Amino acid sequence: MVDYFTLGWGTMVGVGWLVVMWDWLLRGGVLGGVLGFAIGGALLLPIGYVYGQLVMAMPDAAGEVAYTAKVFPPAVSFATGWMMVLAYFIVCPWEAVAVGKIASYIFPALDSMELYRIGGQAVYLPRVVIGLGLTGLLTLLNYRGIRLSATFQNWTAFGTLALFVVFVACGVSKGSPRNFPPLFTHGIFVSILLVMQIVPYYMTGFESVAKAAEEASPQFRARGFSKAILMSIMVGILFYTIVIAAVGYVAPWRELTNEKFMTAVVFERAMGSRWIVSVILAAALLSLFKVFNGNFIASSRLLFAMGRRGLLDIRVAEIHPRNQTPSVAVICIGLATAVCMFLGDAILVPISEVGSIASAAGWLAACAAYFRMGPAPRERIVAAVGVLVGLLMILMKIVPGIPGHFSGYDWLALGAWSALGLGLSWRQRVVQAGGPAKEIHL
């Protein structure tokens, strides 16, 4: 079960707590941030329960694609899978960009050789090279085999937790409750809502357990899937709420929201020493590696599963004859990550917005599929709650007038992904029908 827990939790918790803590606190304040993640995370528990039941009944790498295909038309199955591919994949360029940002904090000379600017943010050549290097490493790791990737995931996950305990314990010993205000940056409801809107993105990952279910050993007990999923959610809630509360406790956070790495600066101010920054950055790098790797595993396995089911080009379902890995899908995710990371720091916050709605759409579809399968009455109620939660998470991002709703750029990104999916789906249908696929250019 350890491997599946580290995959679920490791895919969930990245470096948002270091890189964009300023955004979280400006959205809701300390208490608004804590309550936003606590409530948003708790709402995912019924969804996690549904996933646990589904993966026990259908241990299929296709995950949501397989669940929805059982009770819905193929179009629904494809749309669900395509949105979940986005939810996982979109984290990969986020982390590839973030590693360069963290490295430049350690070595300021990396912020040189500016290539161009996007959204007012400079893109530097040394950062791009570092991000491409990490992307290449993880692509190779996943190309070589799942066992090597799982071992890497375990070490980085538990290493992150250990370092987290160290820096939080040391920092809090120097803090004061006087640093908490303002508890909310807007009204209480709006503050919590603005934070809850990004929770789906930062807590996506627990359902990635399903994507590796086919690779479980014969001795693995099916109920372990459910335990790993629920444990991932609960540890994720604790991690996010504790780190937000700790940042608010150790120093007057409102004065530091313009700092490059607010979390590290806050703890450095509290301790009056640089060593704690080194611990935080080490934890962040381990966390970055594991979440990058976890989402790489999930997105490549889902892409492979969609190809295997004939929803995408059958070539993405190819298995490497020696490594027994979905080699083509792995290479596709690696190349796409490398291309997207050229957008630089400007993508960090918008990605969390688009990723949130993609995750919520997949969760809604999975819960709706379980509801349609006709489980026991109690489980149908849980599934209905999951559908409602997923629907509300989508509505609070797309309904105009709700604070924090989608911007024009968010709609553009989501529209582009949807158009790409429609194009690939249409092309595959033409190929399957024996039509002139060679005339189609995407």
Side-chain angles (χ1 to χ4, degrees):
M1 192 182 79
V2 171
D3 287 351
Y4 285 102
F5 164 72
T6 57
L7 175 60
W9 182 77
T11 304
M12 180 189 302
V13 177
V15 292
W17 55 272
L18 175 68
V19 177
V20 290
M21 176 60 75
W22 60 271
D23 178 59
W24 298 359
L25 288 173
L26 289 179
R27 282 172 181 267
V30 176
L31 189 54
V34 168
L35 291 176
F37 270 97
I39 296 171
L43 290 174
L44 299 182
L45 289 172
I47 297 175
Y49 176 83
V50 168
Y51 268 92
Q53 300 305 306
L54 285 169
V55 73
M56 283 192 289
M58 301 174 64
D60 193 314
E64 295 83 0
V65 177
Y67 310 148
T68 51
K70 191 173 180 64
V71 293
F72 293 123
V76 174
S77 182
F78 175 83
T80 302
W82 191 242
M83 291 302 285
M84 287 308 294
V85 169
L86 174 63
Y88 296 125
F89 161 69
I90 206 169
V91 177
C92 297
W94 199 103
E95 302 301 335
V97 170
V99 71
K101 192 175 178 72
I102 293 172
S104 69
Y105 186 75
I106 303 172
F107 305 106
L110 294 175
D111 283 343
S112 60
M113 301 177 69
E114 181 178 326
L115 298 175
Y116 47 84
R117 286 181 172 266
I118 295 180
Q121 301 278 355
V123 177
Y124 299 105
L125 179 60
R127 287 205 208 177
V128 171
V129 171
I130 290 172
L132 289 175
L134 179 59
T135 301
L137 173 64
L138 291 182
T139 301
L140 178 63
L141 196 68
N142 282 276
Y143 187 85
R144 294 293 299 274
I146 188 64
R147 183 67 261 166
L148 186 61
S149 185
T151 301
F152 177 83
Q153 194 73 5
N154 290 346
W155 279 100
T156 51
F158 287 113
T160 299
L161 283 172
L163 293 174
F164 170 75
V165 171
V166 170
F167 79 73
V168 167
C170 292
V172 167
S173 67
K174 302 290 185 179
S176 168
R178 294 192 301 272
N179 295 323
F180 276 140
L183 297 179
F184 301 97
T185 50
H186 305 82
I188 295 176
F189 175 76
V190 171
S191 295
I192 296 173
L193 177 67
L194 289 173
V195 175
M196 284 180 63
Q197 288 176 341
I198 58 171
V199 167
Y201 173 75
Y202 289 105
M203 294 198 67
T204 295
F206 62 87
E207 72 292 328
S208 64
V209 168
K211 312 306 179 292
E214 290 185 35
E215 296 165 272
S217 67
Q219 294 77 31
F220 186 77
R221 298 183 63 182
R223 192 162 294 278
F225 291 125
S226 185
K227 290 179 180 178
I229 289 171
L230 293 176
M231 190 181 301
S232 298
I233 295 174
M234 289 186 285
V235 174
I237 293 171
L238 287 173
F239 183 95
Y240 282 125
T241 53
I242 289 172
V243 76
I244 292 172
V247 168
Y249 184 78
V250 299
W253 64 270
R254 188 74 187 201
E255 301 170 9
L256 303 172
T257 52
N258 290 324
E259 294 289 343
K260 190 173 184 180
F261 287 110
M262 180 184 174
T263 303
V265 172
V266 162
F267 279 87
E268 183 179 14
R269 290 279 186 93
M271 296 295 295
S273 175
R274 180 75 180 178
W275 72 265
I276 197 166
V277 174
S278 300
V279 174
I280 292 172
L281 293 178
L285 286 172
L286 284 178
S287 191
L288 186 150
F289 295 155
K290 72 174 177 55
V291 79
F292 195 163
N293 185 59
N295 280 280
F296 202 111
I297 293 172
S299 55
S300 59
R301 266 53 180 185
L302 187 51
L303 199 65
F304 155 79
M306 292 182 72
R308 185 176 61 181
R309 286 175 168 265
L311 298 174
L312 290 174
D313 193 315
I314 191 65
R315 287 174 292 187
V316 299
E318 288 182 12
I319 297 289
H320 193 281
R322 181 161 54 87
N323 298 331
Q324 292 298 296
T325 55
S327 52
V328 175
V330 166
I331 291 172
C332 287
I333 295 299
L335 289 175
T337 299
V339 170
C340 290
M341 67 159 294
F342 280 92
L343 295 173
D345 290 1
I347 69 172
L348 293 177
V349 173
I351 273 182
S352 64
E353 302 283 1
V354 177
S356 289
I357 200 170
S359 302
W363 299 337
L364 185 156
C367 291
Y370 188 58
F371 184 88
R372 287 283 300 273
M373 291 176 192
R378 187 190 70 170
E379 294 176 352
R380 281 176 70 89
I381 292 173
V382 175
V385 172
V387 170
L388 179 61
V389 170
L391 180 61
L392 290 175
M393 286 181 170
I394 293 172
L395 291 177
M396 69 182 180
K397 292 305 300 177
I398 66 173
V399 175
I402 295 180
H405 66 82
F406 259 24
S407 68
Y409 289 111
D410 298 330
W411 280 115
L412 179 62
L414 186 61
W417 182 259
S418 301
L420 177 61
L422 287 172
L424 293 174
S425 177
W426 177 68
R427 180 185 187 278
Q428 183 61 16
R429 287 198 301 271
V430 170
V431 170
Q432 290 173 337
K438 61 183 180 180
E439 297 178 5
I440 300 168
H441 303 283
L442 294 177

